[in-house]
Amino acid sequence: AGVNALSGHGRRDYICTRLAGCFGQQMSEFVFGAIFNEDWRRLRDVQERKEWAPGPFLKRPRLSDLTMGILGVGDIAAVIAGHAQAFGMRTLGFASRERSEPGFDSVTTDLRHVLGNADVVVSVLPSTPHTRGLLDGGVLRSCGAGKLLINVGRGDVVSEAALLEALDNGWLRAAVLDVYATEPLPSTSPLWEHSGVRISPHVAAVSHPDDVAELFIANLELWLGEKPLRYVVDLDKGY
């Protein structure tokens, strides 16, 4: 966050670094909490009706039978993918170039392939000129039917209109959102009242003072030693 304003500035006579390497665990907990919460929401509903109803849960798929598609393959995505593999899930990554990455069974530049083959789609993409509106224009039709979308990256990767279209057409069964194009999310947004949307106020991962201090000190020592810094931002790319 905050890099967009710097990217639009013409100056390039400085080195910008970002706080990273500490959000993956938090975001992974959020992602899997969202996945598990689907069953717990159903269990809550039958509990409120005081029903003993195991039937709907006897045929639910095992995580080891599912595929997770992750949009973005950076340090946060690597943690999420690693945890997914620990559950036996197949992991597909979408990136700007094909390559081998830890935690991923494969990484491709084919977005529609990832959307079509994943049961759960997780976006951890940053906000850049190449990612803004990436999932707009009917792209989510490639999901097929009944996919779960979790966005913990940046909100402008997909518009409200595209999300609502995907939900109303059944391409998505639910959208778990922690980020939005406009924050705070306006009270007039139709996302608040849509039954298929789960809203979180940008808290999938928070900055802890000890993480900030640890990385700052590490980079300061590297800078004083005239060594390459960690997590340097490419301002032209926007991340």
Side-chain angles (χ1 to χ4, degrees):
V3 173
N4 291 350
L6 295 175
S7 297
H9 198 282
R11 287 186 57 185
R12 292 292 186 272
D13 57 346
Y14 61 94
I15 298 175
C16 176
T17 63
R18 60 190 174 91
L19 178 63
C22 56
F23 296 125
Q25 179 68 31
Q26 293 184 69
M27 287 199 176
S28 185
E29 291 170 1
F30 182 94
V31 165
F32 283 97
I35 294 172
F36 299 142
N37 186 55
E38 288 197 296
D39 272 349
W40 283 108
R41 288 176 67 92
R42 299 186 189 103
L43 288 167
R44 182 196 62 191
D45 291 341
V46 297
Q47 180 179 346
E48 289 178 348
R49 296 194 299 269
K50 299 181 180 179
E51 294 181 11
W52 185 265
F57 304 96
L58 298 181
K59 296 182 179 180
R60 71 180 184 275
R62 299 170 297 185
L63 285 185
S64 57
D65 294 327
L66 302 181
T67 296
M68 177 178 286
I70 305 180
L71 312 185
V73 296
D75 62 288
I76 292 173
V79 176
I80 297 172
H83 290 168
Q85 287 190 333
F87 280 112
M89 299 181 78
R90 178 174 173 236
T91 54
L92 301 178
F94 167 75
S96 57
R97 58 183 176 84
E98 295 183 0
R99 56 190 185 270
S100 177
E101 289 288 346
F104 288 92
D105 292 303
S106 65
V107 175
T108 179
T109 60
D110 189 342
L111 176 60
R112 295 180 187 273
H113 172 77
V114 174
L115 296 178
N117 286 276
D119 300 286
V120 179
V121 178
V122 180
S123 177
V124 293
L125 289 169
S127 176
T128 75
H130 298 293
T131 63
R132 293 180 198 120
L134 182 71
L135 300 181
D136 291 351
V139 170
L140 290 173
R141 183 190 299 270
S142 298
C143 288
K147 304 298 176 65
L148 172 63
L149 173 67
I150 304 172
N151 189 3
V152 292
R154 286 292 178 262
D156 57 9
V157 72
V158 60
S159 67
E160 290 190 4
L163 282 171
L164 295 171
E165 178 188 29
L167 289 163
D168 293 341
N169 281 286
W171 308 334
L172 298 177
R173 69 174 182 272
V176 179
L177 309 173
D178 185 57
V179 289
Y180 313 87
T182 301
E183 297 184 5
L185 184 65
S187 60
T188 55
S189 170
L191 296 176
W192 286 107
E193 297 181 349
H194 198 288
S195 61
V197 176
R198 311 287 177 261
I199 290 177
S200 168
H202 205 146
V203 292
V206 299
S207 299
H208 291 280
D210 53 337
D211 291 329
V212 176
E214 181 178 348
L215 182 56
F216 178 83
I217 292 170
N219 263 343
L220 178 60
E221 291 175 344
L222 290 171
W223 182 75
L224 292 173
E226 299 182 347
K227 298 178 181 178
L229 304 183
R230 299 177 65 190
Y231 305 117
V232 173
V233 173
D234 185 327
L235 293 171
D236 294 321
K237 291 183 178 179
Y239 59 93

